[in-house]
Amino acid sequence: MEVVKEANNENAGADKTKDDTTLEEIVQLVTFRLGNEEFALDILKVQEINRIVDITRVPKAPDFVEGVINLRGRVIPIVDIRKKFHLKMKEITKETRIIVVNIMNKTIGLIVDSVSEVLRIDSGIIQPPPPLIAGLDSDYIKGVGKLDDRLIILLDIDKIFTTGDHRLIEGMIK
Amino acid sequence: MRDDSMKEIVGDFVQEALEFLESLNENFIELEKDPENKELLNTIFRAAHTIKGSAGFLGFQNIVELAHSAENILNKLRQGEISLTPDMMDYLLKAIDTLKAMIIIVSKTGTEGDATSDNTELIKKLDDLAEGRILQEEDLKVTAIENSEIKTVDEITNKLAHEEKHKENHAKTDKRKVKNLGDILLEDNLISKEELEQIYKEKEKEEEEEKYQQVEPGIKQPEIKEQKPEQNRMDAPTEEVPRLSVALPTEDRRRLKPPPVPMPEVKETTIRVDIDRLDNVMNLVGELVLARNRLFNISSKLEVKYEGDDLSSALAQVISNLNLVTTDLQLAVMKTRMQPVKKIFSKFPRMVRDLSRELGKDIELQIHGEETELDKSVIEEIGDPLVHLIRNSVDHGIETKKARKKIGKPETGIIKLSAEHEGNYIVITVSDDGKGMDPDIIKKKAVEKGIIDDKTALSLSDKDALSLIFTPGFSTKDKATEISGRGVGMDVVKTNIQKINGIIDIDSQIGQGSGVILKLPLTVAIIQTLIVGVGEDIFAIPLNSVVETLRIAESSIQTIDKHEVINLRKSVLSLLRLGREFGIKESDSIGTGSSLNQEIYVVVVALAEKRIGIVVDDLYGQEEVVIKSLGDYQLGYKGISGATITGDGKVVLIIDVASMIESVKIR
């Protein structure tokens, strides 16, 4: 188990407001791969990163919900983020990971192809998302970061699960 | 006094007073049946007196006034000066209700508030009732005081109260204060200064005592009280005081009779625990149960792998020990959450009495097994359903006195309320010897209200017709009365019982009476489940809902209107194929339709009043599981009520029997 960090939601909230005011700020991002694309999440949202485990299917759940797992005595849902983004399916490999994130005090696991690294970047280099990214609703994207020759898509994880047709978490988003 | 310690004292007062009032309710009903029961009267009197005393200490004047008036009547009853009439009982009960309301206001606001001050009428009525023989008493008393050496505070105060009344021509006897009266007594030379001082001292001492009792939350008040007056009675032989008029409360008597009775030493044997803490302990025990299940699993695998190995058998031994301890611990924790059903049963005699008086019926409520214990969460849910069931029995079930006489039944109708253990269940039954329910009338009403159509009505069995009463909005009454008829009650019964995975059964014989049987689980957090397999997936079905499991041949399945059913002991049972319902591929051997001789497993489940058969591929056995809610997540499907973690660390979903039954109905 590669525990990255116990996330603290209050901090996360405070951080967000800081983002808006001071542009020259170092942000820490967890980057992961889905196919050829590189995505990133704010590290404060990430609770831990686990290897893949047995997933129990939930009948009649939305199709992007892969099932539920036992996370040290808690039962949490697992989402295949590829399905959510309508990307092509990929088989589970040795690199496949579950990123456990905290959203509005609820815990959800995301299946990703692989986790790359923790990046410290200047928030200044994150630019607003282009209006349309193929297959991806740009509402779910916070911004795009350019780093040398890499292009990293920063996801708005809160919005992914609290808005849209298949909300996994009931709640309002500011 | 610090603010929060004051709060605590008030809180204790509220709790204690409410408990007393609850017991008063019960006692009064009992008293009505047995008005000569002096012991009971004394108990009632003591409870009223304690409430008055505590309220007085805390300065809740309105409560004191009302309690005092009620106490006056009680005292006269106790002295045998007046006898109990139903009217009097009505007012006494009303006084209790009012007191309860006032105390609840106190618990919410910490003060009496203004809304409670409007009791003058009730107090006046109570006083009038108490003073039915006031004139003769007064004559008696004057002579008594002249002739008697012994003067108690109460005698004097009472006499004075009456004198005052004469002077002022005022009926309010209850607002007097001992101190002022004492001064008046002194002026009138009815009492010496020394005597008065003695009285003051005693009064203060008593207040101290009350204060002490207030801050001692754990002590069970009624028990102490029970003992004291017992001794008092021995100390104060009756011939000592000539039979006097109003008020000779035992406690007051004790107060003036040296030497004081030594307080029996009471050890604190109970503590009040916040329910959240208990819930937390329960959760932790749940985790422990899961861990034990996993350890069990691993150990049994190890034993297979390293058979005869010292270490693995040692481990097995430790685990079996752990198993015992865990089971005991679990039981112990469950026990702490158990409460006797008396807690809810106790309010029904009063309810039945009020309702039957209102309706002019004569009804006796017989209660059995009120010491039966149930989990707190279950207790909380069954209060309302029982209220509705009993109301129904009173209103719809039991006939009027006339009607009963006509058909040769005794005039007094009987409603039985009983609770008993039955395996892992508690069975609560509400039955009456009234007119019973007529399935045909119910069908007719249901058609009228548009709940079912004519065709369905014809095909309904009597038992199914009876279940119609659980439909929201159903009522056989054309007009809603205050008591029933809105068609809400039975829906409440169904919803609440379903919520705790209970089963409802109706039994009714026209002309003989009807009964509703509630089968309730002992607890809700940790449940026994039946583990079943569908294809490659595993699910758990709460064992509470499982009636039986069957192994039947495919060929015995019939279809009615595209519904699959089987004939089970002459009743039709709808089937639900879990695999199909969940969109899971059934295992290759089953459901291909090629072999009708293929045998399948059917789990017959029941909830509230409905039964269906769930078709599964495998039965794996029974396992005790801890329910983990999935309610935080919008998984979009109602068929799963929660999840649990089994011995091998896997998540197994728990099937929501209610929605399974629902989905059979919809199709």
Side-chain angles (χ1 to χ4, degrees):
Chain A
M1 204 177 289
E2 307 154 42
V3 177
V4 173
K5 191 173 180 355
E6 283 289 334
N8 187 327
N9 269 349
E10 283 158 44
N11 276 356
D15 228 67
K16 216 187 217 168
T17 45
K18 261 188 238 157
D19 273 359
D20 297 338
T21 48
T22 51
L23 284 172
E24 301 300 307
E25 174 119 12
I26 299 291
V27 288
Q28 290 194 56
L29 303 173
V30 176
T31 66
F32 58 90
R33 286 192 166 276
L34 289 176
N36 293 324
E37 259 72 54
E38 202 167 9
F39 293 87
L41 289 173
D42 189 334
I43 200 166
L44 292 170
K45 293 277 173 201
V46 178
Q47 178 184 321
E48 61 189 71
I49 296 166
N50 293 337
R51 282 174 212 285
I52 201 105
V53 291
D54 266 349
I55 297 173
T56 304
R57 275 177 5 92
V58 178
K60 292 195 177 172
D63 68 337
F64 60 87
V65 175
E66 198 63 14
V68 289
I69 62 159
N70 165 20
L71 184 76
R72 294 187 299 279
R74 287 169 65 199
V75 177
I76 66 164
I78 299 297
V79 165
D80 192 337
I81 207 154
R82 281 175 165 272
K83 279 190 194 151
K84 182 81 187 170
F85 291 161
H86 309 293
L87 300 174
K88 265 187 214 146
M89 292 300 299
K90 191 175 174 252
E91 271 168 33
I92 287 170
T93 67
K94 259 164 84 184
E95 299 290 309
T96 309
R97 292 287 182 277
I98 292 174
I99 303 181
V100 179
V101 294
N102 264 310
I103 302 166
M104 327 216 357
N105 278 330
K106 313 244 161 78
T107 313
I108 290 180
L110 309 173
I111 300 181
V112 299
D113 291 354
S114 65
V115 172
S116 328
E117 62 188 321
V118 174
L119 270 184
R120 291 169 63 91
I121 61 169
D122 202 318
S123 65
I125 67 162
I126 299 173
Q127 287 160 10
L132 217 116
I133 296 180
L136 253 178
D137 195 334
S138 60
D139 270 359
Y140 295 156
I141 298 168
K142 247 188 199 161
V144 177
K146 248 190 213 160
L147 206 71
D148 302 331
D149 54 345
R150 290 159 74 187
L151 200 66
I152 298 166
I153 303 167
L154 181 57
L155 292 176
D156 188 341
I157 199 77
D158 285 353
K159 263 194 191 159
I160 293 175
F161 293 109
T162 52
T163 59
D165 290 343
H166 290 302
R167 270 171 297 177
L168 204 53
I169 294 172
E170 198 65 57
M172 300 212 300
I173 194 88
K174 282 164 206 155
Chain B
M1 204 178 294
R2 276 190 306 125
D3 224 33
D4 44 340
S5 75
M6 189 61 202
K7 225 184 229 165
E8 209 171 286
I9 292 173
V10 172
D12 285 343
F13 161 70
V14 167
Q15 191 133 22
E16 180 195 288
L18 287 179
E19 272 166 26
F20 271 128
L21 287 174
E22 207 50 59
S23 68
L24 275 179
N25 242 336
E26 265 170 73
N27 294 340
F28 269 133
I29 300 300
E30 218 173 299
L31 185 70
E32 201 172 27
K33 285 184 209 141
D34 184 12
E36 296 306 311
N37 191 338
K38 281 271 167 326
E39 194 54 44
L40 194 59
L41 250 173
N42 280 328
T43 316
I44 293 175
F45 183 82
R46 282 195 297 270
H49 188 77
T50 311
I51 293 172
K52 188 181 85 168
S54 312
F57 166 67
L58 291 166
F60 297 132
Q61 200 52 44
N62 290 335
I63 294 177
V64 173
E65 279 173 27
L66 187 55
H68 180 85
S69 294
E71 193 189 293
N72 265 349
I73 296 190
L74 290 172
N75 195 47
K76 289 202 169 183
L77 286 171
R78 205 164 60 126
Q79 310 285 1
E81 287 168 21
I82 45 175
S83 54
L84 191 66
T85 63
D87 257 359
M88 196 182 283
M89 184 59 82
D90 279 345
Y91 279 105
L92 282 173
L93 289 173
K94 203 168 163 202
I96 287 179
D97 287 346
T98 316
L99 278 174
K100 207 169 178 178
M102 289 162 99
I103 285 164
I104 285 169
I105 288 174
V106 167
S107 77
K108 280 183 183 145
T109 61
T111 59
E112 280 189 301
D114 302 325
T116 58
S117 55
D118 208 22
N119 294 319
T120 20
E121 211 167 299
L122 183 59
I123 291 174
K124 191 171 176 303
K125 189 75 203 165
L126 287 169
D127 289 346
D128 285 350
L129 281 168
E131 280 152 26
R133 284 175 49 189
I134 203 110
L135 280 174
Q136 292 133 308
E137 280 157 20
E138 221 143 35
D139 293 344
L140 231 172
K141 193 167 40 148
V142 174
T143 38
I145 285 181
E146 274 164 11
N147 297 341
S148 167
E149 294 280 282
I150 308 148
K151 294 192 183 78
T152 68
V153 171
D154 284 83
E155 282 166 50
I156 296 160
T157 45
N158 276 314
K159 177 177 181 292
L160 239 139
H162 288 295
E163 275 179 8
E164 238 180 350
K165 213 184 307 157
H166 269 302
K167 281 175 203 159
E168 297 174 16
N169 243 344
H170 209 279
K172 283 215 163 178
T173 58
D174 43 286
K175 277 192 173 166
R176 55 222 153 120
K177 290 204 168 116
V178 175
K179 282 199 179 179
N180 302 341
L181 287 170
D183 291 340
I184 300 166
L185 284 172
L186 205 61
E187 280 167 30
D188 290 0
N189 283 329
L190 284 169
I191 187 171
S192 72
K193 221 173 196 160
E194 289 79 16
E195 271 180 303
L196 186 64
E197 263 159 27
Q198 169 76 9
I199 291 166
Y200 282 170
K201 233 186 253 165
E202 297 283 355
K203 182 82 189 158
E204 268 163 34
K205 208 164 126 199
E206 193 196 43
E207 275 173 2
E208 275 306 305
E209 249 177 56
E210 273 172 0
K211 186 171 152 192
Y212 179 69
Q213 283 168 2
Q214 280 300 316
V215 284
E216 205 73 295
I219 293 180
K220 278 201 175 166
Q221 292 276 13
E223 274 159 29
I224 313 166
K225 296 272 179 213
E226 218 90 78
Q227 291 169 17
K228 274 191 290 184
E230 211 68 65
Q231 278 155 317
N232 288 330
R233 240 168 281 139
M234 282 187 273
D235 274 358
T238 34
E239 67 263 28
E240 204 175 333
V241 187
R243 266 282 139 113
L244 279 185
S245 60
V246 203
L248 258 184
T250 31
E251 264 127 304
D252 290 342
R253 224 188 286 174
R254 172 204 47 175
R255 215 196 308 149
L256 291 180
K257 288 264 180 301
V261 182
M263 276 268 281
E265 205 171 307
V266 180
K267 264 198 188 150
E268 240 177 273
T269 54
T270 56
I271 50 164
R272 290 187 201 278
V273 181
D274 195 89
I275 192 71
D276 280 347
R277 286 191 199 175
L278 271 187
D279 283 346
N280 197 20
V281 175
M282 193 71 184
N283 284 341
L284 290 173
V285 171
E287 289 300 319
L288 192 62
V289 169
L290 291 181
R292 176 206 61 187
N293 289 355
R294 294 188 64 173
L295 267 179
F296 238 148
N297 205 304
I298 294 168
S299 149
S300 57
K301 277 182 191 156
L302 272 180
E303 270 204 278
V304 174
K305 203 168 173 187
Y306 304 101
E307 212 188 324
D309 189 281
D310 279 355
L311 273 179
S312 78
S313 60
L315 180 71
Q317 234 166 31
V318 172
I319 287 171
S320 83
N321 196 10
L322 176 76
N323 179 30
L324 284 178
V325 175
T326 317
T327 312
D328 283 356
L329 177 65
Q330 195 188 326
L331 267 175
V333 173
M334 262 166 67
K335 273 224 177 102
T336 60
R337 294 172 50 95
M338 293 294 214
Q339 289 179 310
V341 284
K342 189 175 198 295
K343 201 177 168 226
I344 36 176
F345 278 15
S346 61
K347 66 179 174 190
F348 294 131
R350 164 81 193 276
M351 196 184 91
V352 169
R353 178 199 176 272
D354 286 0
L355 286 178
S356 52
R357 255 177 84 79
E358 206 172 300
L359 293 166
K361 293 178 180 176
D362 207 355
I363 297 173
E364 188 190 340
L365 179 69
Q366 298 179 347
I367 294 182
H368 300 285
E370 56 184 354
E371 68 289 335
T372 315
E373 289 190 322
L374 267 173
D375 191 89
K376 186 178 155 39
S377 48
V378 178
I379 291 260
E380 277 164 5
E381 294 296 341
I382 60 169
D384 287 347
L386 286 178
V387 168
H388 289 293
L389 289 176
I390 291 174
R391 276 170 171 236
N392 267 359
S393 280
V394 174
D395 198 18
H396 300 283
I398 306 279
E399 310 92 331
T400 55
K401 276 190 222 173
K402 245 192 216 160
R404 289 182 71 90
K405 219 171 177 182
K406 218 177 185 178
I407 49 173
K409 285 187 190 176
E411 269 186 35
T412 307
I414 291 173
I415 297 177
K416 279 186 192 155
L417 175 62
S418 70
E420 59 185 349
H421 271 274
E422 197 188 295
N424 259 340
Y425 302 93
I426 294 287
V427 178
I428 295 184
T429 316
V430 180
S431 59
D432 60 61
D433 65 346
K435 57 179 174 249
M437 288 181 271
D438 187 340
D440 292 331
I441 293 178
I442 290 172
K443 278 188 206 168
K444 211 179 106 215
K445 282 280 169 190
V447 174
E448 260 174 46
K449 304 227 165 188
I451 294 166
I452 51 169
D453 52 38
D454 287 328
K455 211 177 113 197
T456 330
L458 279 176
S459 64
L460 274 183
S461 71
D462 282 0
K463 191 134 196 159
D464 288 341
L466 291 182
S467 317
L468 283 173
I469 62 170
F470 293 107
T471 325
F474 180 86
S475 173
T476 50
K477 285 222 162 170
D478 294 322
K479 245 193 209 160
T481 65
E482 206 173 295
I483 300 167
S484 65
R486 287 186 197 82
V488 186
M490 293 311 261
D491 187 36
V492 170
V493 174
K494 185 179 147 186
T495 329
N496 280 28
I497 300 301
Q498 234 171 41
K499 215 191 289 177
I500 47 175
N501 287 322
I503 298 175
I504 307 177
D505 224 355
I506 311 178
D507 191 20
S508 177
Q509 303 259 319
I510 300 172
Q512 303 286 305
S514 48
V516 178
I517 298 134
L518 307 178
K519 224 172 160 191
L520 309 167
L522 282 178
T523 181
V524 283
I526 298 177
I527 58 166
Q528 291 283 342
T529 58
L530 180 70
I531 308 288
V532 300
V534 180
E536 287 181 353
D537 291 318
I538 291 174
F539 296 95
I541 301 176
L543 208 60
N544 281 323
S545 315
V546 175
V547 180
E548 59 183 323
T549 56
L550 310 167
R551 192 174 163 84
I552 58 161
E554 271 298 325
S555 55
S556 62
I557 297 178
Q558 297 160 345
T559 48
I560 299 177
D561 201 13
K562 285 180 196 160
H563 293 217
E564 284 187 313
V565 298
I566 54 166
N567 199 331
L568 179 65
R569 289 188 289 277
K570 286 185 186 164
S571 78
V572 176
L573 186 76
S574 298
L575 290 186
L576 174 89
R577 284 183 190 265
L578 200 58
R580 218 169 281 169
E581 174 70 20
F582 283 174
I584 299 167
K585 270 184 241 140
E586 295 174 33
S587 5
D588 295 338
S589 56
I590 293 172
T592 47
S594 57
S595 55
L596 279 178
N597 291 327
Q598 182 76 47
E599 291 201 315
I600 56 168
Y601 289 105
V602 176
V603 180
V604 182
V605 293
L607 196 68
E609 80 290 3
K610 295 213 168 57
R611 263 158 228 264
I612 60 162
I614 296 178
V615 179
V616 298
D617 295 347
D618 289 297
L619 294 180
Y620 291 115
Q622 202 173 315
E623 190 161 327
E624 189 165 59
V625 303
V626 180
I627 299 178
K628 307 219 173 242
S629 171
L630 288 174
D632 284 354
Y633 306 100
Q634 307 282 313
L635 291 178
Y637 180 52
K638 295 262 183 291
I640 301 297
S641 66
T644 189
I645 295 162
T646 53
D648 50 6
K650 265 194 195 150
V651 179
V652 166
L653 300 172
I654 301 168
I655 288 171
D656 181 18
V657 174
S659 69
M660 289 293 128
I661 290 176
E662 202 68 16
S663 79
V664 167
K665 218 167 76 185
I666 289 165
R667 280 186 307 163

